[in-house]
Amino acid sequence: MPVIPSSACAKAILFGEHAVVYGEAAIALPISNLRVKALCEPGIGLPSGTVIIQVPNLGLDTSLQAMDRGHPIALAIRGTLEALEIQAQPSFCLRVNSNFPFKAGLGGSAALAVAISRSLSAFLGHPLNTDAVNCVAFQSEVAAHGSPSGIDNSVISLEAPLYYIKGEKNIILKPKKNLSFLIADTGLAKKTGEIVSEMARKTQTDLQVRAIMAEIGAIAKSGRYAFEEGNAKELGLLMDQNHALLSQLGLSCPELDKIVNSARQAGAYGAKLTGGGRGGCALMLIEQNQQETIHKKIIEAGAKQVFVFILAGSGA
Ligand code: PMV
């Protein structure tokens, strides 16, 4: 069986996290330089059907057989086998590594599922197409987060900037100009599933929360044009507004606010939390020649790691 390393990118939500769960628009970006890599190798000498799973980033060294059936990784493996209509899997070793933190708002769980599905289906000689991988990853996301919007698995499996509305066709966006971003990790692991459930309760019972979700969706809608134009100034203003609304929902935290404020003071176009919130990462849109200055300031403000990513524009 072929041993083909596969990978999946991380993601950042530019506008619309949480609101996207309630049918509002959102924009998500692939981060191609941050990746989860997965490799399936024949399980030589292992008892028939045994699957060894090693994910050092999660401290996992186990087997599929010993894993809870509802574990997101077990679902990614079983979902892939089901999609390929394989009843009895061969023995194999699955090794997964990531160069970005999990539980940090960068779509780690979806990237894990996409990379596993790609690697396993290639190993079995029938690489699944993007739609099938996306479906497998969505099922795994349900186990990881409860009721995900589907934005993470979609942007990661397509690896393209997306204008996303739950249940509607994915719209791929292309900015005319390069956009430079920094991502700062607070080092605080966030619990997206719990936060999403809390927001679901509030959205049902509190009209003001529902109104804020709609305002966030409106930001994503107007941000679409600014994004396609590559209008960094406008995008930055909208990012700041989006962060303020997420803060009103209680989704920021002092660590995120400190980073976001220091990035703005150091000259970023805009800054906001990205992903589930109350920890995880902040996303900043910057002028490329200010990268070093802003990087230094956000480290001083407490960021544990900083990642750089540039979204290539079409130059149109
Ligand atoms: O924190 P992450 O990377 O899992 O992102 C979650 C995004 C949410 O909008 C909060 C949830 C969702 O399913 O869309």
Side-chain angles (χ1 to χ4, degrees):
M1 266 167 241
V3 176
I4 303 166
S6 302
S7 70
C9 64
K11 70 98 218 301
I13 296 184
L14 180 61
F15 301 120
E17 50 274 271
H18 289 285
V20 67
V21 176
Y22 310 101
E24 302 294 344
I27 295 180
L29 314 174
I31 312 175
S32 292
N33 51 320
L34 301 185
R35 304 196 78 84
V36 169
K37 291 187 183 156
L39 184 71
C40 287
E41 289 175 304
I44 298 162
L46 291 176
S48 152
T50 303
V51 177
I52 299 294
I53 300 168
Q54 294 173 334
V55 190
N57 303 67
L58 293 173
L60 264 185
D61 188 351
T62 184
S63 70
L64 181 62
Q65 288 69 19
M67 200 173 236
D68 192 290
R69 283 191 79 80
H71 191 288
I73 292 180
L75 287 171
I77 294 174
R78 294 215 163 89
T80 302
L81 295 171
E82 267 168 37
L84 294 172
E85 297 180 13
I86 291 177
Q87 315 290 329
Q89 86 267 359
S91 5
F92 62 91
C93 285
L94 168 67
R95 291 198 180 85
V96 187
N97 269 298
S98 163
N99 66 352
F100 68 92
F102 289 148
K103 301 186 198 301
L106 301 179
S109 55
L112 198 65
V114 168
I116 289 174
S117 188
R118 283 182 179 152
S119 158
L120 177 55
S121 60
F123 171 72
L124 295 169
H126 302 284
L128 287 175
N129 66 25
T130 301
D131 281 352
V133 167
N134 195 1
C135 284
V136 169
F138 180 72
Q139 291 312 324
S140 171
E141 281 289 272
V142 170
H145 295 322
S147 52
S149 63
I151 192 168
D152 284 14
N153 46 284
S154 299
V155 66
I156 289 170
S157 52
L158 286 159
E159 200 162 340
L162 280 193
Y163 181 76
Y164 184 87
I165 299 177
K166 193 168 138 182
E168 294 188 10
K169 202 172 171 308
N170 293 318
I171 298 174
I172 293 180
L173 303 176
K174 188 89 189 148
K176 286 184 183 161
K177 298 180 195 151
N178 286 358
L179 293 168
S180 299
F181 294 92
L182 289 179
I183 291 187
D185 183 10
T186 59
L188 301 174
K190 30 120 254 144
K191 296 189 176 113
T192 301
E194 278 174 27
I195 302 176
V196 169
S197 308
E198 180 191 323
M199 284 299 125
R201 281 194 302 278
K202 290 188 173 158
T203 307
Q204 269 171 8
T205 54
D206 189 334
L207 283 179
Q208 210 193 335
V209 169
R210 189 68 195 86
I212 293 175
M213 295 294 184
E215 273 187 71
I216 292 176
I219 287 178
K221 267 191 195 146
S222 43
R224 178 178 171 179
Y225 182 68
F227 182 81
E228 286 177 314
E229 287 302 304
N231 184 342
K233 214 169 160 189
E234 177 66 15
L235 285 172
L237 289 174
L238 292 169
M239 287 171 76
D240 291 349
Q241 287 171 19
N242 194 161
H243 184 78
L245 292 168
L246 290 165
S247 296
Q248 279 183 47
L249 292 173
L251 293 167
S252 193
C253 61
E255 291 80 357
L256 279 167
D257 284 340
K258 208 167 163 202
I259 291 171
V260 160
N261 290 334
S262 76
R264 289 177 190 150
Q265 276 161 18
Y269 287 114
K272 66 183 274 290
L273 70 88
T274 187
R278 291 191 192 144
C281 289
L283 175 70
M284 287 137 275
L285 178 59
I286 62 162
E287 193 59 58
Q288 212 182 338
N289 62 19
Q290 287 192 305
Q291 187 184 306
E292 256 177 61
T293 321
I294 300 175
H295 191 143
K296 196 164 159 265
K297 291 286 175 197
I298 55 184
I299 291 281
E300 282 167 17
K304 300 290 179 280
Q305 302 185 73
V306 178
F307 304 102
V308 180
F309 88 98
I310 297 169
L311 212 59
S314 63

